Amino acid sequence: MKRGFYVIMAAQFFSSLADNAIFIAAIALLRADSAPDWQTAALVPIFAFFYVVLAPLVGAFADAQPKGRVMFFSNAVKAVGCAMMLFGSHPLLAYAVVGLGAAAYSPAKYGILTELLPPSQLVKANGWIEGLTIASIILGVLLGGQLVSPYVADYLLNFDFPMLDTGVDTPAEAAISAVMGIYVLAAAINMRIPHTGVVMRPLPRNLLTLLPDFWRCNSRLWNDRLGQISLATTTLFWGVSGNLRYLVLAWAAAALGYGVPQASKLVGVVAIGTAVGAVWASMRVRLDRATTVMPLGMLMGVLVMVLIFVDQLWVAVPFLILLGGLGGYLVVPMNALLQHRGHNLMGAGRSIAVQNFNEQACILSLGFIYSMTTKAGTSAFTAILWFGMLVTVTMGIIQVWYLYNLRRHPIEIKRLLAIARSDHKH
């Protein structure tokens, strides 16, 4: 791997670490304010809001600037969101600003991989990026849980600055202050990311022209015989996984009687499995063989449904590791294939923005449905059952769709797979 790749990995680790810690801190802040349960469930869709609304702009912005600079500004915006939580803004509004920074960060984070590396290294790079991201999820969730725990929170609250009243008086606020410092560190590392030498594509003077350009890019990816399959798979996976993080917290409370610090550890257990699956896929699956992992998606859906019968910790831990491992092994090759097709069709930043739009729209839709059903009194067990059924049925449909493409368009599929095998056609 090129030296710049390791700088990207470091920047991604700390940014993702803070993203997951702030999620736990935001939940703790809402519960400390006695907010209704639907507001904590709404954190997931509110984070996805700007991914969907600003998708036409953030992709073009990532292609118009050196991606390290884009990542720097994005982490600065996330730090502003943390500051808003500390100084009286409603946690949902402040968390939406953190989501705004994440929406701008993502096209640069993944887009730079296709600029820096050839196709033969994309699955490997995605495996390491996803593995490191999952590691940061594990540590971020654990960090957030520990920061709001009484012992660590009391230690943080004992810090005093001479002649300065910070207004930080609760465990949740202390946790948010610490997370804001991590975002600042990530922004500093972003400044060390090298320029890839790819020619920038300036933003048009009339930004409204980005709307038809974005929809053309979206249509091109959905009409591509391999792009449509990988996009459908990753859209479903991240739509469910984005909400599963909160579902596991709700399940742990209902099935095991756990509070936030304990339940956050089980979210980390899922992430451990995902990291193992991601790294294993990076070593075992070539880019042109990415579609062979799709049947694992149906098995993953079945395991999600089985989760409602798990009520013992000694069963839950290996079960959640297996569930996460299947997800990691599924998503890394499909994500790399999608990046490869998108880079060839429209450019790195725009393709990632299209991917984010679809994936986050799925997260937003499923999260909105879940928060509304929670408001109406639906139990965590019922929600998990429906989510598992959705994954199983939809992945079966996507598998049939791919087999249809193989039968009706064999020459086109063969040509696209040949491109995936060749670095020179990237």
Side-chain angles (χ1 to χ4, degrees), residues 127-144:
W128 283 107
I129 285 289
E130 290 300 332
L132 192 69
T133 299
I134 303 303
S136 69
I137 291 173
I138 300 167
L139 296 175
V141 170
L142 293 176
L143 175 64

Side-chain angles (χ1 to χ4, degrees), residues 181-334:
I182 299 174
Y183 279 131
V184 172
L185 174 61
I189 297 174
N190 291 147
M191 299 298 291
R192 304 292 299 175
I193 293 175
H195 196 298
T196 60
V198 172
V199 177
M200 300 294 100
R201 301 171 63 179
L203 288 170
R205 292 185 178 180
N206 182 5
L207 294 180
L208 291 178
T209 61
L210 292 173
L211 291 174
D213 175 67
F214 175 79
W215 287 114
R216 279 194 299 270
C217 292
N218 192 53
S219 298
R220 290 187 73 182
L221 206 46
W222 276 114
N223 289 324
D224 185 81
R225 300 299 175 189
L226 283 182
Q228 60 190 203
I229 301 301
S230 54
L231 182 54
T233 303
T234 57
T235 295
L236 173 67
F237 175 84
W238 289 114
V240 173
S241 295
N243 289 280
L244 192 63
R245 180 175 54 170
Y246 182 77
L247 278 173
V248 170
L249 290 174
W251 164 81
L256 303 175
Y258 281 2
V260 173
Q262 292 172 302
S264 64
K265 295 177 182 178
L266 290 179
V267 178
V269 167
V270 178
I272 289 173
T274 308
V276 173
V279 174
W280 186 248
S282 73
M283 296 186 294
R284 299 279 298 176
V285 184
R286 299 195 315 266
L287 187 63
D288 60 312
R289 299 283 296 168
T291 55
T292 61
V293 304
M294 285 193 294
L296 296 179
M298 289 180 282
L299 179 57
M300 183 181 172
V302 172
L303 289 183
V304 170
M305 290 187 282
V306 173
L307 182 62
I308 65 175
F309 301 107
V310 178
D311 59 3
Q312 298 292 325
L313 183 61
W314 68 272
V315 178
V317 170
F319 185 88
L320 292 174
I321 290 175
L322 176 61
L323 179 62
L326 289 176
Y329 200 89
L330 169 71
V331 77
V332 163
M334 299 303 288

Side-chain angles (χ1 to χ4, degrees), residues 6-234:
Y6 300 104
V7 181
I8 295 169
M9 288 178 66
Q12 167 58 12
F13 174 80
F14 286 107
S15 183
S16 179
L17 181 77
D19 286 348
N20 288 278
I22 197 65
F23 174 71
I24 302 299
I27 291 177
L29 187 62
L30 285 169
R31 291 185 177 177
D33 293 339
S34 300
D37 288 343
W38 71 265
Q39 289 192 9
T40 55
L43 285 171
V44 173
I46 205 71
F47 189 81
F49 177 75
F50 284 113
Y51 275 94
V52 176
V53 174
L54 296 182
L57 175 62
V58 294
F61 180 67
D63 284 338
Q65 301 283 334
K67 290 181 172 52
R69 186 183 304 167
V70 175
M71 294 161 76
F72 169 80
F73 286 128
S74 300
N75 276 315
V77 171
K78 293 178 184 180
V80 169
C82 291
M84 290 173 63
M85 285 190 199
L86 290 176
F87 297 115
S89 295
H90 193 283
L92 286 178
L93 175 62
Y95 196 63
V97 174
V98 177
L100 169 62
Y105 187 89
S106 187
K109 172 185 73 175
Y110 284 111
I112 197 171
L113 295 182
T114 56
E115 293 182 358
L116 192 69
L117 303 170
S120 60
Q121 292 185 331
L122 275 182
V123 173
K124 187 177 182 180
N126 268 272
W128 283 107
I129 285 289
E130 290 300 332
L132 192 69
T133 299
I134 303 303
S136 69
I137 291 173
I138 300 167
L139 296 175
V141 170
L142 293 176
L143 175 64
Q146 293 307 305
L147 287 175
V148 299
S149 66
Y151 176 77
V152 177
D154 288 345
Y155 182 78
L156 292 174
L157 290 170
N158 284 330
F159 279 111
D160 286 322
F161 295 92
M163 303 178 64
L164 178 63
D165 182 10
T166 62
V168 176
D169 301 313
T170 67
E173 291 173 343
I176 293 165
S177 300
V179 173
M180 186 163 60
I182 299 174
Y183 279 131
V184 172
L185 174 61
I189 297 174
N190 291 147
M191 299 298 291
R192 304 292 299 175
I193 293 175
H195 196 298
T196 60
V198 172
V199 177
M200 300 294 100
R201 301 171 63 179
L203 288 170
R205 292 185 178 180
N206 182 5
L207 294 180
L208 291 178
T209 61
L210 292 173
L211 291 174
D213 175 67
F214 175 79
W215 287 114
R216 279 194 299 270
C217 292
N218 192 53
S219 298
R220 290 187 73 182
L221 206 46
W222 276 114
N223 289 324
D224 185 81
R225 300 299 175 189
L226 283 182
Q228 60 190 203
I229 301 301
S230 54
L231 182 54
T233 303
T234 57

